[in-house]
Amino acid sequence: MTELKVVGKPLPRIEGPEKVTGQTVYAADMQLPGMLHAKVLRCPYPHALIKRIDTSKAKAYPGVVAVVTAEDLPPADRDPSVRPHAVLVEGEAIFEGQAVAAVAAETAYIAEEALDLIEVEYEELPAVLDPEEAIKPGSPFTRRPLEEIDLSEIEGHVTVDISAADDAEAHRRSPNISNRLHFVRGNVEKGFEEADIIVEGRFDSKMAHQAYLEPQACVAHYDATGKLTIWTPTQGQFHQRNDIARILGLPHEKINLVGTEVGGGFGAKVAPLIQPLTALLSMKSGRPVKLVLTRREDLMNSVPAPRGIVQAKIGATKDGRLTAFKGRVIFDSGAFPAGTPVGATMMMAACYKFDHLDVEGIEVLTNKCGAGAYRAPGMPEVTFAIEQLVDEVCRQGGFDPIELRKKNVCREGDLMPNGRPWPKIGLYECLEALEQSELWQTRHQAKNGGKPRGIGVAIGAWPGGMQPASAMVKMNENGTIKVVVGSNDISGVNTSFNMIAAEELGVPMHMVTTITADTDTAPYAGLAAGSKTLYSGGKAVQAAAQDARRQIIAIASRELDANPEDLVIEDGVVFVPGTDKSISFQRIAGLTMGFGSRYAPVVGRGGEVIRNQAPGTTAQAVEVEVDPETGNVTVTRVAAAQDVGKAINRLSIIGQLEGGVTQCLGMGLTEEMIFDERGRMRNPVFLDYRLLTALDVPRIEAIIVEVPSPEGPFGARIAGEPSIIAASAAIANALRDATGLRFYEAPMTPERVLRRLREAGKAVRQPVALGEAAL
Amino acid sequence: MTELKVVGKPLPRIEGPEKVTGQTVYAADMQLPGMLHAKVLRCPYPHALIKRIDTSKAKAYPGVVAVVTAEDLPPADRDPSVRPHAVLVEGEAIFEGQAVAAVAAETAYIAEEALDLIEVEYEELPAVLDPEEAIKPGSPFTRRPLEEIDLSEIEGHVTVDISAADDAEAHRRSPNISNRLHFVRGNVEKGFEEADIIVEGRFDSKMAHQAYLEPQACVAHYDATGKLTIWTPTQGQFHQRNDIARILGLPHEKINLVGTEVGGGFGAKVAPLIQPLTALLSMKSGRPVKLVLTRREDLMNSVPAPRGIVQAKIGATKDGRLTAFKGRVIFDSGAFPAGTPVGATMMMAACYKFDHLDVEGIEVLTNKCGAGAYRAPGMPEVTFAIEQLVDEVCRQGGFDPIELRKKNVCREGDLMPNGRPWPKIGLYECLEALEQSELWQTRHQAKNGGKPRGIGVAIGAWPGGMQPASAMVKMNENGTIKVVVGSNDISGVNTSFNMIAAEELGVPMHMVTTITADTDTAPYAGLAAGSKTLYSGGKAVQAAAQDARRQIIAIASRELDANPEDLVIEDGVVFVPGTDKSISFQRIAGLTMGFGSRYAPVVGRGGEVIRNQAPGTTAQAVEVEVDPETGNVTVTRVAAAQDVGKAINRLSIIGQLEGGVTQCLGMGLTEEMIFDERGRMRNPVFLDYRLLTALDVPRIEAIIVEVPSPEGPFGARIAGEPSIIAASAAIANALRDATGLRFYEAPMTPERVLRRLREAGKAVRQPVALGEAAL
């Protein structure tokens, strides 16, 4: 490989200016001729039977064009156990806010008014709300028992060989268990016997929402020819089309899915949510229909991260060798299975070389909004447990938290809980890098004389998903280059595709533009999820650019009367070094796309399938300050190292790191979907669902580690997900450092922290205890 | 080649249902958020200087967002001699209706009102209106003298080697001559000396409009990032993008041209017309802008066929050998050069083996709406002359009109006027086929006892254009096939692309869908003009399908453990004949596009350049009935034979034949843009510009001749243009047959025919001569 000219530079995202100037057209901004507006009637109970629906008054309301209930769904091979297939309640509503009926009308106001005219008679059923209770014998059912569980949603995010799990199919044990995995290695009891230090605990990470800025939105148009076009922000337009084809019983070629700009997805815009319903309204009305969720609807009815309750125990020798791990995570998946155990069960104990382990993951259904995938699904929850236990081993054994981890973390060839060897990973290197961080190097300085401060460390790993991809690279008439892909850009990846194509073709960055085409016209690509877009799609772009390059070289070779092997491309000019023979891309464009041109147009294609994962790993340190009067925790410093194999675009990687860390800080500090005793969400607005703001997040020391992957483009490996894994655990460890107390519940809100401080007699009483009423 | 399964069948057009049910969304139907509406202020004089423009009142009018004049054009490499570049009058207006200023406002009504507030001071200049006068010394100038003439418009339609012309560059002789070509072979005077029969005449075919149903329309959006998106019906989105890039000084990659469904083009929607102006208004306003011409504007200000005045003479021996041809055509091109002589000069005399010829084509500029390309540009005009002269030779020599032509027409290897040999063509075969037609076989029967009837024959040929093309063929997730092209479907060609891909891939027709993508995402394709889309684009689709097929076979080979050579594809299943080994496309889709798939997605690409033309030829016969009281000519029967090499879709070819013939019948009977003595168009509405209706056109006996081309897909050759060439000449010859009189002016309206009948004493006087006032 010669020296890289473009790849590795820190470059701003190509779609940035449009976004920051408010010019990006999102699905909600769209207008189509004759377009109707939709509103959804939602079930007010967490669990109820629908005895009767009467839509006649709504249908008669002036301005209403279509009213649909489950009866209007076309015959199709729908699986009611899968959230995307549960377009409208068919008899039994299983969470508060589930869609019962929908109206399409000339205006959104008319549609809203018409909802009040729909008469629904419910019979409320007992709601299952506590996941730990739900799996006990005699628990009521969340819903009628299921037959089979579809795991396609989680497979978008992670590929895990679960054949070693002893109980992969045992989820039928309770009708409320939708998924269970169990991996065993060695003899965990023996492992604990070998241990000098044993620590354990029960950890509880609450349900958190992806809290993207753009609510779920969709415009659908089913035209007179039976062609359905859907405009929607999606992380996987081909994936959604595939689902919608099945849900509505339409052939793929009669559906065009146009992925609009995604205003944040993080896993929540993968599978169809409101798209089939919007399409159904268009099929009924024959007109384009727009449905945009309100923030309240979006917070109550989309696909948050599940709550994860972990009971775990870890053993270590007095010289700091981890010997055994036993852990069980119960994911409260709400009304629908999300498959979260598939990745998180194995990865809960995957970072360390335990000779003995016993890990179990259980997904439990309850009558709440169904959970889904949220960036490295399940990992913040399980990491919140194991990394606190590892930290506690360090505390009790007097080990340096980085040194102990360096001693115990897996490297290439070490086994994962499923018995398969780790490929080459950079976890150890991340710990080395974290050790060199400014935060760590200055950890003993600047202790605030006032409020208690502490530093905590946590690590994580994520294998990522695998899916084939293809791409097209073509020359424009002025010699510039266009890259056409079918993946949706949720992370700035199209900028990285530009860079890969520019590098391969020998042109400057400004000569390349990457475009995401719709499913009608784009080469196939998998999900923008599982951190795989750059890893697999980048490889396809690289192959397509190489195909185009060969065509360019062939033309130049004939035009310059030179051997292809002697030709070099630089700055968009093909030349023979040491001679004056040269031809520009612009000239080649003229020779291939004019009247009576001599050569065929340059169009390269790349289809790639990578069959080996390139897991990403991270090591992070967080410094916090605790206010003993209020329980408020302030994150003062963060250092995050991540192995990305090769940073195609350094600026993009830094953004990914900052974003993931910030989301997990939110999970650790404030973000929580709160349900009351009847299963109703109490904080479905951003005033009450507390996101971190710019004021809450300090500068993040982002450290890029590059341990090249064998197959990724230029050695790149997955990058998007690992950053979100570790920060909530690191906060807890920092709080332990600051207060001597361990915190078992996330988010560590002021209320929870203050309660814990008080229980331990470490809170400072305020003269006016204004906050007490809330405690 | 094994037996064809799909290619050659008569299949309905895939986009037909949407069109006939009124569901197709045309550019004029579009709505975009914040979209403005544009109106254009047009010069009321055929020739004038603009002394002053004051737009201040219009700019201040409430609801007006942008007002533009030529001063607002961005700096760019514009060539004012080329129509697309003349976005707005820069000082000198050269035809009535030329755009002087334009307004974008919140509604079209406001924009219209604001036009009245723009003050323009004109100085009227002498208008040049008569093309024959215009080339005489001392004629006023149509406009300031030009430097160079851009021929790119005509090159889209026809590729002609004009190096043999003795005067290709001599158009500077008069500033009103924009183009002149002159081909000489042998010694034409000697040729006439050898002749026993010499006939000559002056023929005049008037300016005709393409009269598409959809007026010119455009929506443009120049967004905050400097990306310009244009939605417009176009026959060549890459071509238009190229032009617009130059006209507005924008790089290609910052322009996306989205070709919307074309409601008729026929050459008039090739080059940009209103698109740069619409874009300019969007650049000024920062908002999307829509401009749709009214029918009046469209008839007065688009790109009609030029008037063609031919003075020609032909000689023949008494045994029916054509010896010499001398002809000169003057095209009245209006205000802009269209390059019409490039194709029509050579083709005027190209069908026959003249030992001696002298053909000259002159394009003259006058102060009328600028002419452009209309389906086989210039050919109906020149054919109206030569085919009448050949007919007159038959009349005077007593030859059968088909026999004489069979004796004299060119075949492969005979020379064209430019000295290059004809490739393989089917002109002789067309005459043979016409001879076998029902019309010809029954020509002596059923003579109407009342009104005079006659039959006339005419032939024609058109070389077509050449331009490279590329295409992509990909598999959908259900195993169906998508073909992605960059050419605009103006003739049902996407249906033919479906058929080509289905044939190559071994799948039934319903498994393939062809889509035209926009310039951002489509593989490059040339113009949908010059009859080349199927000829060159079809080849690219074929190559892309073959590329995809190889990938499919490779996967099947591994899955079935079979040699690729042993595999056969039928009905979307790959199998080994004589065994039970088989795998469906659907299964292959599953193996290439799922999570952890084994193979890369199937995506084929084809880039093709055909460097040899495959001319199309036609032989037509028309039967007419003349009303001697009114001069009205009724076409009672038509037979049209055309060599298309291979009819990929027989139904599509029949449609092309019927459409072209009908257009030329219109040119022959009624269609004419009428200008008054001041150069103003008198009939810019469809009430007065008389198109033929379904009642005027009899059943057309369409005869498909298939003389395969060496390079076209499955032997196909050009198909769209030849059908329009011959019918007006055939009508004139039929009138000669019916009345004994020759008609020298087209269209042969009742007025003209009656006048000629009266001059010859053959009209039947009406008791009440109501029509006389008009004569």
Side-chain angles (χ1 to χ4, degrees):
Chain A
M1 191 78 222
T2 53
E3 195 199 343
L4 297 176
K5 297 232 165 69
V6 183
V7 162
K9 303 265 181 306
L11 295 179
R13 287 164 67 153
I14 49 175
E15 87 288 10
E18 200 166 358
K19 282 183 175 164
V20 298
T21 56
Q23 297 288 332
T24 301
V25 173
Y26 292 93
D29 300 318
M30 285 185 60
Q31 291 177 17
L32 291 179
M35 190 177 74
L36 303 174
H37 300 262
K39 287 288 173 185
V40 181
L41 183 70
R42 298 184 177 280
C43 177
Y45 307 106
H47 197 185
L49 291 178
I50 294 180
K51 312 299 287 182
R52 188 182 63 89
I53 308 184
D54 183 351
T55 59
S56 55
K57 285 181 195 155
K59 281 177 175 159
Y61 194 62
V64 169
V65 182
V67 182
V68 294
T69 65
E71 283 186 1
D72 298 294
L73 284 162
D77 176 28
R78 272 186 302 280
D79 174 355
S81 77
V82 185
R83 181 188 26 249
H85 292 222
V87 180
L88 286 161
V89 173
E90 303 190 47
E92 183 183 15
I94 52 176
F95 69 97
E96 180 202 8
Q98 193 173 7
V100 170
V103 175
E106 298 291 348
T107 71
Y109 308 104
I110 295 173
E112 185 89 47
E113 287 164 5
L115 293 184
D116 292 340
L117 302 176
I118 300 174
E119 294 168 10
V120 188
E121 193 182 314
Y122 296 98
E123 176 188 328
E124 201 176 348
L125 296 176
V128 177
L129 298 173
D130 182 321
E132 290 170 307
E133 294 298 319
I135 58 176
K136 291 181 181 163
S139 164
F141 294 162
T142 297
R143 61 172 157 187
R144 287 162 290 193
L146 303 171
E147 282 307 310
E148 264 186 58
I149 300 299
D150 184 310
L151 293 179
S152 71
E153 181 161 343
I154 191 67
E155 286 184 288
H157 291 266
V158 62
T159 304
V160 170
D161 178 353
I162 56 171
S163 56
D166 71 352
D167 205 15
E169 291 302 318
H171 57 260
R172 290 199 192 80
R173 184 174 296 184
S174 156
N176 291 338
I177 294 180
S178 53
N179 191 231
R180 178 174 179 273
L181 281 178
H182 189 194
F183 297 100
V184 175
R185 177 194 303 157
N187 180 331
V188 74
E189 293 315 319
K190 187 162 164 289
F192 285 117
E193 282 165 23
E194 289 171 12
D196 304 304
I197 303 162
I198 295 178
V199 297
E200 66 183 306
R202 177 185 179 277
F203 302 87
D204 187 354
S205 296
K206 297 299 177 0
M207 196 175 250
H209 193 279
Q210 294 85 353
Y212 33 78
L213 285 183
E214 180 205 25
Q216 303 277 354
C218 179
V219 176
H221 186 204
Y222 184 80
D223 71 22
T225 69
K227 177 86 182 257
L228 173 63
T229 305
I230 291 181
W231 295 262
T232 196
T234 175
Q235 296 178 239
Q237 53 189 17
F238 283 97
H239 183 84
Q240 277 220 2
R241 179 173 74 163
N242 206 36
D243 275 1
I244 293 168
R246 184 171 162 202
I247 294 165
L248 297 176
L250 296 172
H252 291 68
E253 62 275 19
K254 296 293 264 181
I255 305 175
N256 186 25
L257 212 135
V258 187
T260 54
E261 194 68 43
V262 180
F266 312 110
K269 290 174 181 167
V270 170
L273 189 73
I274 61 171
Q275 292 79 6
L277 179 56
T278 318
L280 180 65
L281 286 166
S282 183
M283 291 166 87
K284 279 283 151 186
S285 64
R287 288 173 53 185
V289 175
K290 187 201 280 188
L291 174 57
V292 181
L293 295 192
T294 63
R295 180 66 64 191
R296 171 177 288 267
E297 279 179 299
D298 195 294
L299 281 166
M300 291 180 71
N301 305 294
S302 44
V303 283
R307 177 182 172 191
I309 302 166
V310 180
Q311 179 71 46
K313 179 169 149 185
I314 201 164
T317 60
K318 57 176 181 284
D319 59 347
R321 184 174 57 84
L322 300 178
T323 61
F325 178 77
K326 181 175 168 68
R328 183 177 83 160
V329 56
I330 293 175
F331 286 111
D332 179 357
S333 199
F336 294 101
T340 314
V342 169
T345 308
M346 188 180 84
M347 297 310 294
M348 176 159 45
C351 286
Y352 298 101
K353 293 177 286 188
F354 295 109
D355 286 336
H356 308 281
L357 61 80
D358 180 323
V359 284
E360 184 182 12
I362 298 174
E363 182 177 73
V364 180
L365 301 181
T366 60
N367 294 116
K368 303 194 199 81
C369 168
Y374 180 4
R375 204 171 185 167
M379 289 312 293
E381 296 93 314
V382 297
T383 304
F384 186 67
I386 185 165
E387 286 300 300
Q388 287 209 64
L389 293 178
V390 170
D391 185 75
E392 198 55 33
V393 166
C394 296
R395 291 274 153 198
Q396 296 188 16
F399 308 118
D400 177 274
I402 295 184
E403 280 308 315
L404 178 113
R405 286 178 172 88
K406 280 167 70 179
K407 183 167 180 165
N408 285 281
V409 292
C410 289
R411 305 179 75 163
E412 184 175 4
D414 290 329
L415 297 185
M416 295 186 285
N418 64 354
R420 300 190 58 171
W422 277 104
K424 193 173 176 188
I425 52 169
L427 184 51
Y428 185 88
E429 289 78 0
C430 284
L431 283 162
E432 283 187 321
L434 185 66
E435 210 162 21
Q436 297 306 315
S437 68
E438 184 190 327
L439 187 153
W440 195 254
Q441 290 296 319
T442 62
R443 68 191 180 282
H444 300 303
Q445 302 167 13
K447 282 270 180 185
N448 186 318
K451 297 171 189 165
R453 282 204 176 193
I455 289 177
V457 169
I459 63 169
W462 185 244
M466 288 196 295
Q467 220 171 347
S470 49
M472 180 173 76
V473 168
K474 59 172 181 147
M475 187 179 273
N476 296 321
E477 300 94 307
N478 60 348
T480 58
I481 297 295
K482 189 77 83 174
V483 178
V484 182
V485 295
S487 48
N488 304 98
D489 182 359
I490 61 165
S491 62
V493 75
N494 282 2
T495 307
S496 301
F497 288 163
N498 276 0
M499 298 172 78
I500 290 171
E503 193 71 55
E504 287 295 338
L505 285 164
V507 298
M509 181 70 179
H510 68 81
M511 278 181 67
V512 186
T513 322
T514 295
I515 203 107
T516 297
D518 56 31
T519 59
D520 260 359
T521 58
Y524 174 84
L527 290 174
S531 300
K532 73 174 90 73
T533 309
L534 186 118
Y535 183 59
S536 58
K539 193 89 176 167
V541 168
Q542 194 175 23
Q546 287 162 353
D547 188 21
R549 183 191 172 99
R550 277 189 294 273
Q551 297 169 33
I552 291 165
I553 290 284
I555 293 166
S557 158
R558 284 184 59 184
E559 286 294 309
L560 301 180
D561 193 19
N563 283 326
E565 305 76 42
D566 297 338
L567 294 172
V568 170
I569 308 182
E570 253 174 45
D571 276 339
V573 176
V574 193
F575 63 99
V576 185
T579 73
D580 62 355
K581 285 185 174 182
S582 76
I583 184 167
S584 69
F585 276 33
Q586 190 164 11
R587 173 79 186 126
I588 289 174
L591 293 174
T592 53
M593 289 177 277
F595 301 122
S597 284
R598 273 174 267 173
Y599 305 100
V602 172
V603 52
R605 57 99 176 86
E608 286 290 320
V609 56
I610 294 186
R611 301 211 56 209
N612 293 300
Q613 284 163 296
T617 53
T618 186
Q620 304 183 3
V622 170
E623 184 191 65
V624 301
E625 184 177 86
V626 191
D627 186 332
E629 290 182 7
T630 63
N632 190 54
V633 178
T634 304
V635 174
T636 48
R637 293 198 287 171
V638 177
Q642 185 177 327
D643 172 26
V644 298
K646 171 71 188 176
I648 301 292
N649 179 0
R650 296 187 75 79
L651 206 55
S652 172
I653 293 294
I654 290 168
Q656 288 283 312
L657 263 165
E658 291 176 344
V661 166
T662 299
Q663 287 179 312
C664 200
L665 291 176
M667 292 175 176
L669 293 176
T670 59
E671 292 190 50
E672 173 181 5
M673 291 170 68
I674 302 168
F675 294 88
D676 68 14
E677 70 291 340
R678 289 184 58 194
R680 300 203 275 209
M681 186 176 172
R682 290 189 49 187
N683 59 338
V685 285
F686 275 163
L687 274 175
D688 299 325
Y689 182 92
R690 168 77 158 83
L691 287 170
L692 297 190
T693 70
L695 292 178
D696 300 310
V697 183
R699 184 178 77 84
I700 292 166
E701 190 183 348
I703 304 156
I704 299 176
V705 175
E706 293 180 316
V707 177
S709 79
E711 293 192 56
F714 300 95
R717 50 177 73 232
I718 72 161
E721 285 164 306
S723 56
I724 203 178
I725 295 175
S728 63
I731 290 172
N733 293 341
L735 277 175
R736 170 72 169 80
D737 189 34
T739 66
L741 299 173
R742 196 146 286 290
F743 289 80
Y744 296 95
E745 256 182 308
M748 290 161 279
T749 57
E751 292 84 348
R752 288 197 178 110
V753 171
L754 191 58
R755 188 188 301 129
R756 186 94 176 88
L757 291 175
R758 285 188 180 167
E759 285 163 7
K762 297 198 177 190
V764 175
R765 280 276 168 185
Q766 290 259 45
V768 182
L770 196 64
E772 276 186 280
L775 293 179
Chain B
M1 191 78 222
T2 53
E3 195 199 342
L4 296 176
K5 298 232 165 68
V6 183
V7 162
K9 303 264 182 306
L11 294 179
R13 288 164 66 152
I14 50 175
E15 87 288 8
E18 201 166 356
K19 282 183 174 163
V20 297
T21 56
Q23 297 288 331
T24 302
V25 173
Y26 292 94
D29 300 319
M30 285 186 61
Q31 291 176 18
L32 291 180
M35 189 177 77
L36 303 175
H37 300 262
K39 288 286 174 185
V40 181
L41 184 71
R42 298 183 177 280
C43 176
Y45 307 107
H47 197 186
L49 291 179
I50 294 181
K51 311 301 286 182
R52 187 181 65 88
I53 308 184
D54 183 350
T55 60
S56 55
K57 285 182 195 155
K59 281 177 175 158
Y61 194 62
V64 169
V65 183
V67 182
V68 294
T69 65
E71 284 186 1
D72 298 293
L73 284 162
D77 175 29
R78 272 185 301 279
D79 175 353
S81 75
V82 185
R83 180 187 29 246
H85 292 222
V87 181
L88 286 162
V89 173
E90 303 189 46
E92 183 183 14
I94 52 177
F95 68 97
E96 181 203 8
Q98 193 172 7
V100 170
V103 174
E106 299 291 348
T107 71
Y109 307 105
I110 295 173
E112 186 89 48
E113 287 164 6
L115 293 184
D116 291 339
L117 301 177
I118 300 174
E119 294 168 11
V120 188
E121 193 182 315
Y122 296 97
E123 176 188 329
E124 201 174 348
L125 297 176
V128 178
L129 299 172
D130 183 321
E132 289 169 308
E133 293 299 318
I135 58 177
K136 290 180 182 164
S139 165
F141 293 161
T142 297
R143 61 172 157 187
R144 286 163 293 194
L146 302 171
E147 282 309 308
E148 262 187 58
I149 300 299
D150 184 310
L151 293 179
S152 71
E153 182 161 344
I154 191 67
E155 285 183 290
H157 290 265
V158 61
T159 303
V160 170
D161 178 354
I162 56 172
S163 56
D166 70 354
D167 205 16
E169 291 302 316
H171 56 260
R172 291 198 192 79
R173 183 173 296 183
S174 156
N176 291 338
I177 294 181
S178 53
N179 190 233
R180 178 173 179 273
L181 280 178
H182 189 193
F183 296 99
V184 174
R185 177 194 303 157
N187 180 331
V188 74
E189 292 315 319
K190 187 162 165 289
F192 286 118
E193 282 166 22
E194 290 172 10
D196 304 304
I197 304 162
I198 294 178
V199 297
E200 66 183 306
R202 177 185 179 278
F203 302 87
D204 186 353
S205 295
K206 297 299 177 359
M207 196 174 250
H209 193 278
Q210 293 86 353
Y212 33 78
L213 285 183
E214 180 205 25
Q216 303 276 353
C218 179
V219 176
H221 186 204
Y222 184 80
D223 71 23
T225 69
K227 177 87 182 259
L228 173 64
T229 305
I230 291 182
W231 294 262
T232 196
T234 174
Q235 296 179 240
Q237 52 190 18
F238 284 97
H239 183 84
Q240 277 220 1
R241 180 172 74 163
N242 206 35
D243 276 1
I244 292 169
R246 183 170 163 203
I247 294 165
L248 297 177
L250 295 172
H252 291 68
E253 62 274 19
K254 296 293 266 181
I255 305 174
N256 185 26
L257 212 135
V258 187
T260 53
E261 194 68 42
V262 180
F266 312 111
K269 290 174 181 166
V270 169
L273 190 73
I274 61 171
Q275 292 80 5
L277 179 56
T278 317
L280 180 66
L281 286 166
S282 182
M283 292 166 87
K284 280 282 151 188
S285 63
R287 291 174 50 186
V289 175
K290 186 200 281 187
L291 174 57
V292 181
L293 295 192
T294 62
R295 180 66 63 192
R296 171 177 289 268
E297 280 179 299
D298 194 296
L299 281 166
M300 290 179 72
N301 306 293
S302 44
V303 283
R307 177 181 172 191
I309 303 167
V310 180
Q311 180 70 48
K313 179 169 148 183
I314 202 165
T317 60
K318 60 176 181 287
D319 59 349
R321 185 174 56 84
L322 299 179
T323 61
F325 178 77
K326 182 174 168 66
R328 183 177 84 159
V329 56
I330 293 175
F331 287 111
D332 179 356
S333 199
F336 295 101
T340 315
V342 169
T345 307
M346 188 179 85
M347 297 310 295
M348 175 158 48
C351 286
Y352 298 102
K353 293 176 285 187
F354 295 110
D355 286 336
H356 309 280
L357 60 81
D358 180 323
V359 283
E360 184 182 13
I362 298 174
E363 182 177 72
V364 180
L365 300 180
T366 61
N367 294 116
K368 303 193 199 84
C369 167
Y374 180 4
R375 203 172 186 167
M379 289 311 293
E381 295 93 314
V382 298
T383 304
F384 186 67
I386 185 167
E387 287 300 302
Q388 287 208 62
L389 292 179
V390 170
D391 186 74
E392 198 55 34
V393 165
C394 296
R395 292 274 153 199
Q396 296 189 16
F399 307 118
D400 176 274
I402 295 185
E403 281 307 316
L404 179 112
R405 287 178 171 89
K406 279 167 70 179
K407 182 168 182 165
N408 286 282
V409 291
C410 289
R411 305 179 76 162
E412 185 174 3
D414 291 329
L415 297 184
M416 295 187 286
N418 64 354
R420 300 190 57 171
W422 276 104
K424 192 173 176 190
I425 52 169
L427 183 51
Y428 185 88
E429 289 79 0
C430 284
L431 283 162
E432 283 187 320
L434 184 67
E435 210 162 22
Q436 298 305 315
S437 69
E438 185 191 327
L439 185 153
W440 194 254
Q441 290 297 319
T442 61
R443 68 192 180 281
H444 300 301
Q445 301 166 14
K447 282 269 182 190
N448 186 318
K451 297 170 187 167
R453 282 204 175 191
I455 289 177
V457 169
I459 64 169
W462 185 243
M466 286 196 296
Q467 219 172 347
S470 50
M472 180 172 74
V473 168
K474 60 173 180 148
M475 187 179 274
N476 296 320
E477 299 95 306
N478 60 349
T480 58
I481 298 295
K482 188 78 82 173
V483 179
V484 183
V485 295
S487 48
N488 304 97
D489 183 359
I490 61 166
S491 62
V493 76
N494 282 2
T495 307
S496 301
F497 288 163
N498 276 0
M499 298 172 78
I500 289 171
E503 192 71 55
E504 287 295 337
L505 285 164
V507 297
M509 181 70 179
H510 68 80
M511 278 181 67
V512 185
T513 322
T514 294
I515 204 107
T516 296
D518 56 32
T519 59
D520 260 359
T521 57
Y524 174 85
L527 290 174
S531 300
K532 73 173 92 72
T533 310
L534 186 119
Y535 183 58
S536 58
K539 193 88 175 169
V541 168
Q542 195 175 23
Q546 286 162 353
D547 188 21
R549 184 191 172 98
R550 278 189 294 273
Q551 297 169 33
I552 291 165
I553 290 284
I555 293 166
S557 159
R558 285 184 57 184
E559 287 294 309
L560 301 179
D561 193 19
N563 284 325
E565 306 76 41
D566 296 338
L567 294 173
V568 170
I569 308 183
E570 252 174 45
D571 275 341
V573 176
V574 194
F575 62 99
V576 185
T579 73
D580 61 355
K581 285 184 175 185
S582 76
I583 184 167
S584 69
F585 275 33
Q586 190 164 9
R587 173 78 186 127
I588 288 174
L591 293 174
T592 53
M593 289 178 276
F595 302 122
S597 283
R598 274 175 265 176
Y599 305 100
V602 172
V603 52
R605 57 102 177 83
E608 287 289 321
V609 56
I610 294 185
R611 302 211 54 210
N612 293 300
Q613 286 164 295
T617 53
T618 186
Q620 304 183 4
V622 171
E623 183 192 66
V624 301
E625 184 178 87
V626 191
D627 186 333
E629 288 183 6
T630 62
N632 190 54
V633 177
T634 304
V635 173
T636 47
R637 292 196 290 171
V638 177
Q642 185 178 326
D643 172 26
V644 298
K646 171 72 187 175
I648 302 291
N649 180 359
R650 296 187 75 79
L651 206 54
S652 171
I653 293 293
I654 290 167
Q656 288 283 312
L657 263 166
E658 290 176 344
V661 166
T662 299
Q663 288 179 313
C664 200
L665 291 176
M667 292 175 176
L669 293 176
T670 60
E671 292 189 51
E672 172 180 7
M673 291 170 68
I674 301 169
F675 294 88
D676 69 14
E677 67 290 344
R678 290 184 57 194
R680 301 202 275 208
M681 186 175 171
R682 290 189 49 186
N683 59 339
V685 285
F686 276 163
L687 275 174
D688 299 327
Y689 181 93
R690 167 77 159 85
L691 288 170
L692 297 189
T693 70
L695 292 178
D696 299 309
V697 183
R699 186 179 76 83
I700 292 166
E701 190 183 348
I703 304 157
I704 299 176
V705 175
E706 293 180 317
V707 176
S709 79
E711 293 191 56
F714 300 95
R717 51 177 72 232
I718 73 160
E721 285 164 305
S723 56
I724 203 178
I725 296 175
S728 63
I731 291 172
N733 292 341
L735 277 175
R736 168 73 168 82
D737 189 34
T739 66
L741 300 173
R742 197 146 284 289
F743 289 81
Y744 295 94
E745 254 182 310
M748 291 161 278
T749 57
E751 291 84 347
R752 289 199 177 106
V753 171
L754 190 58
R755 189 186 301 126
R756 186 94 176 87
L757 291 175
R758 284 189 181 165
E759 285 164 6
K762 297 198 177 188
V764 176
R765 279 276 168 186
Q766 288 261 45
V768 183
L770 197 62
E772 275 185 281
L775 293 179

